[in-house]
Amino acid sequence: MAADKHNSWSYTEGLPEEDDTLLRARDRSHELGVTAVTPAVGAALTVLAAATKAVTAVEVGAGAGVSGVCLLRGLGPQAVLTTIDADVDHLRAAREAYSEAGIPSNRTRTISGRASDVLPRLTDAAYDLVFIDADKGGLPAYVDQATRLLKAGGMLIINDALDQDRVPEPAVREPSTNTLRQVGKLVRDDESLVSALLPTGTGLLLAVKQRS
Ligand SMILES: C[S@@+](CC[C@H](N)C(=O)[O-])C[C@H]1O[C@@H](n2cnc3c(N)ncnc32)[C@H](O)[C@@H]1O
């Protein structure tokens, strides 16, 4: 009998054992109406942050800090996470999560503002990792900014790259779904990047900026 793909997905999501810090950050996400990364995406972020040995990372969409804590747990002790969010209440909750996780305050830089205003102010080729989890409409522009911000060999990660699993459904023509289809192809066809789309969570798009 063919095994059920959905069971594999549920198993993968159920495997990470999240501690009280992450569970409290999830509760605050829920209270604030923020959709946090899934447990499997959180675990993947920790692994990717560790594997890239990133020292400088940028996050678009801090939410209540679930993804930030996961990234910070994979980043080395000298690494700094710059995280951007347009909502000050979300940023306050994210800072609470970092503090509860025992992250020294000099390892996070929280910037309040819209990504379209903040990203252009960040330095060219200064970051090892860029994680995007906000505002699907702005994604094509954020991908452009991310390729500018990344050092050669740096990694771009886009969460919910399957737009709540709607991207593979041809009948779904929602603007966000169309944007994610466009971004998937844009990243795939960009010769400066090598990329892979993982079905983890609701899609995790990974790309590494090639060394020229
Ligand atoms: C999906 S949530 C992020 C969840 C977070 N990454 C986590 O896993 O805990 C998206 C966040 O992006 C923020 N946001 C939405 N539009 C934005 C924009 N244009 N610029 C910056 N932040 C934005 C929202 O306030 C929200 O906190």
Side-chain angles (χ1 to χ4, degrees):
M1 195 175 76
D4 184 342
K5 202 78 189 157
H6 189 262
N7 286 341
S8 294
W9 186 91
S10 306
Y11 182 83
T12 309
E13 288 295 342
L15 193 61
E17 278 192 336
E18 296 196 325
D19 64 2
D20 286 347
T21 299
L22 279 179
L23 295 177
R24 273 195 295 274
R26 286 195 181 283
D27 285 346
R28 287 191 287 267
S29 304
H30 187 68
E31 283 160 19
L32 291 165
V34 169
T35 306
V37 293
T38 67
V41 168
L45 290 178
T46 304
V47 169
L48 292 166
T52 54
K53 299 187 172 64
V55 176
T56 47
V58 178
E59 175 182 60
V60 179
V66 173
S67 52
V69 168
C70 293
L71 285 166
L72 284 156
R73 285 180 170 168
L75 295 170
Q78 307 303 324
V80 174
L81 174 70
T82 298
T83 186
I84 303 163
D85 205 292
D87 188 310
V88 288
D89 293 329
H90 297 182
L91 274 182
R92 191 176 305 117
R95 278 194 290 267
E96 206 172 327
Y98 308 150
S99 161
E100 280 187 24
I103 308 291
S105 58
N106 62 357
R107 290 197 51 213
T108 58
R109 179 167 66 137
T110 53
I111 303 181
S112 155
R114 299 182 62 76
S116 54
D117 296 327
V118 178
L119 289 173
R121 301 206 303 258
L122 303 183
T123 310
D124 288 9
Y127 295 91
D128 302 299
L129 189 152
V130 176
F131 173 60
I132 306 178
D133 187 21
D135 177 28
K136 305 239 169 58
L139 259 179
Y142 305 158
V143 170
D144 265 0
Q145 286 293 325
T147 52
R148 178 184 68 76
L149 295 175
L150 282 171
K151 298 177 191 169
M155 180 177 279
L156 166 65
I157 309 172
I158 300 176
N159 188 45
D160 196 19
L162 292 172
D163 195 27
Q164 301 299 311
D165 293 314
R166 293 179 296 188
V167 163
E169 303 297 330
V172 180
R173 311 302 301 169
E174 293 296 317
S176 61
T177 315
N178 284 336
T179 301
L180 260 315
R181 289 186 184 114
Q182 179 198 344
V183 165
K185 290 178 183 153
L186 199 103
V187 169
R188 179 198 65 189
D189 295 340
D190 186 333
E191 289 184 354
S192 73
L193 302 171
V194 283
S195 63
L197 174 58
L198 309 185
T200 310
T202 50
L204 202 57
L205 182 58
L206 309 181
V208 170
K209 185 169 168 178
Q210 305 251 51
R211 295 168 203 279
S212 48

